[in-house]
């Protein structure tokens, strides 16, 4: 009988311990969600100079500036923004799971993505371009890349576009990130880097004059604000904020501030864009 009582007592203690652990976990989770209560959660890139970049605990870049402006128009101060890293492969899931309220992370509006999420915007129209060394005068466009070495990021279709449409004899090289591509360009391992022009402008700005954007974009990429699918009212508010940013000159200032010293100018045929998506 004593053995049964002892065994029961041990079991009861274990159950109490388990309940305490669950309570503690719930408490921590509640604290975490409490930290975000009344705030707006925005997904950005943390590793793209000039667009979304985490620097000494602060966040800088064109996407960040647009996000701050939109948040302010929606009634949130800067200290009411919770910044969250939004890697390309996780963006749809983050919106679907409610981890963020919106995403500004060089997020191109496409029909395929609109099956999973909705967009507001666009707030910028980028175009695929080339980044080369400052003293290189031999590459003026993608058709000049035959026999040259071209870097792009693993999983990107940018380099394939160049090979299939402009220079079938180009040698392709992949790196895990654009910073690695820029390093390969610095050191002469490759002759050019390709992706969206404003991303390249951010890399050029960070290079202290050693790199330049060719300035002849050959595609169009409409950057949108990713939001939960079907939220038309939210899209309309975001679009109004973007429109206001364009009208009062803050949009142009944000472009210039984040591409300073590169000579970069957005394609005037498409920029600034008309934000009507998602309404």
């Amino acid at each position: 009988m004593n053995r049964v009582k002892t065994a029961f007592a041990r079991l009861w203690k274990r159950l109490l311990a388990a309940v305490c652990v669950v309570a503690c976990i719930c408490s921590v989770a509640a604290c975490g969600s409490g930290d975000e209560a009344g705030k707006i959660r925005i997904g950005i890139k943390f590793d793209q100079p000039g667009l979304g970049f985490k620097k000494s605990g602060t966040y800088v870049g064109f996407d960040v500036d647009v996000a701050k402006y939109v948040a302010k128009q929606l009634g949130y101060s800067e200290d009411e923004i919770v910044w969250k890293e939004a890697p390309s492969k996780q963006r749809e899931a983050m919106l679907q799971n409610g981890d963020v309220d919106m995403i500004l992370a060089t997020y191109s509006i496409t029909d395929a993505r609109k099956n999973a999420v909705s967009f507001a915007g666009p707030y910028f129209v980028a175009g695929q371009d080339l980044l080369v060394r400052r003293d290189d005068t031999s590459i003026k466009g993608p058709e000049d890349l035959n026999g040259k070495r071209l870097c792009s990021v693993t999983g990107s279709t940018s380099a394939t576009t160049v090979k299939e449409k402009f220079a079938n004899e180009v040698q392709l090289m992949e790196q895990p990130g654009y910073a690695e591509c820029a390093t390969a360009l610095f050191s002469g391992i490759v002759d050019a880097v390709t992706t969206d022009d404003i991303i390249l402008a951010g890399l050029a700005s960070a290079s202290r004059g050693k790199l330049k954007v060719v300035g002849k974009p050959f595609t169009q990429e409409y950057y949108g604000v990713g939001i939960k699918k079907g939220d038309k009212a939210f899209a309309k508010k975001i679009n109004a904020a973007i429109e206001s940013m364009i009208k009062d000159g803050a949009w142009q200032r944000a472009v210039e501030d984040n591409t300073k010293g590169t000579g970069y100018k957005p394609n005037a045929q498409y920029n600034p864009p008309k934000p009507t998506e998602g309404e």
Side-chain angles (χ1 to χ4, degrees), residues 258-270:
N258 290 293
T259 60
K260 199 174 292 180
T262 66
Y264 171 75
K265 292 188 190 313
N267 190 330
Q269 185 178 348
Y270 301 99

Side-chain angles (χ1 to χ4, degrees), residues 168-187:
N168 59 12
E169 293 177 15
V170 67
Q171 299 170 44
L172 303 184
M173 176 183 176
E174 290 188 342
Q175 290 290 334
Y178 293 112
E180 289 85 351
C181 274
T183 300
L185 184 58
F186 281 139
S187 58

Side-chain angles (χ1 to χ4, degrees), residues 40-53:
I40 188 164
R41 301 158 304 157
I42 304 178
I44 56 169
K45 292 290 180 70
F46 281 10
D47 60 354
Q48 281 187 343
L51 287 150
F53 194 70

Side-chain angles (χ1 to χ4, degrees), residues 65-112:
D65 288 345
V66 175
K68 287 178 180 177
Y69 191 100
V70 170
K72 186 177 181 181
Q73 294 292 305
L74 294 173
Y76 298 92
S77 62
E78 283 191 30
D79 59 3
E80 291 175 324
I81 298 173
V82 178
W83 300 106
K84 300 203 172 189
E85 186 172 15
S88 295
K89 290 181 180 179
Q90 296 176 25
R91 291 177 298 199
E92 285 82 19
M94 289 177 75
L95 288 166
Q96 290 173 325
N97 296 337
D99 298 327
V100 291
D101 300 299
M102 59 184 183
I103 290 178
L104 292 91
T106 59
Y107 201 5
S108 296
I109 300 169
T110 68
D111 289 338

Side-chain angles (χ1 to χ4, degrees), residues 22-41:
V22 171
C24 288
I25 290 171
C26 291
S27 176
V28 170
C31 288
S33 60
D35 288 345
E36 296 179 2
K39 297 183 179 181
I40 188 164
R41 301 158 304 157

Side-chain angles (χ1 to χ4, degrees), residues 54-70:
K54 186 176 182 179
K55 184 179 180 182
S56 304
T58 61
Y59 304 91
V60 294
F62 178 69
D63 284 353
V64 174
D65 288 345
V66 175
K68 287 178 180 177
Y69 191 100
V70 170

Side-chain angles (χ1 to χ4, degrees), residues 109-189:
I109 300 169
T110 68
D111 289 338
R113 286 171 177 159
K114 284 196 280 187
N115 289 325
V117 301
S118 291
F119 289 93
Y123 62 90
F124 191 83
V125 183
Q128 187 178 339
D129 209 324
L130 303 170
L131 184 71
V132 298
R133 288 181 287 276
R134 172 63 67 182
D135 59 358
D136 190 335
T137 57
S138 67
I139 301 173
K140 298 180 175 66
E143 61 281 349
D144 296 325
L145 289 170
N146 278 315
K148 304 277 190 180
R149 294 157 298 179
L150 178 66
C151 189
S152 67
V153 169
T154 304
S156 168
T157 59
S158 301
T160 306
T161 298
V162 171
K163 190 174 181 70
E164 290 179 352
K165 296 185 177 180
F166 299 100
N168 59 12
E169 293 177 15
V170 67
Q171 299 170 44
L172 303 184
M173 176 183 176
E174 290 188 342
Q175 290 290 334
Y178 293 112
E180 289 85 351
C181 274
T183 300
L185 184 58
F186 281 139
S187 58
I189 295 171

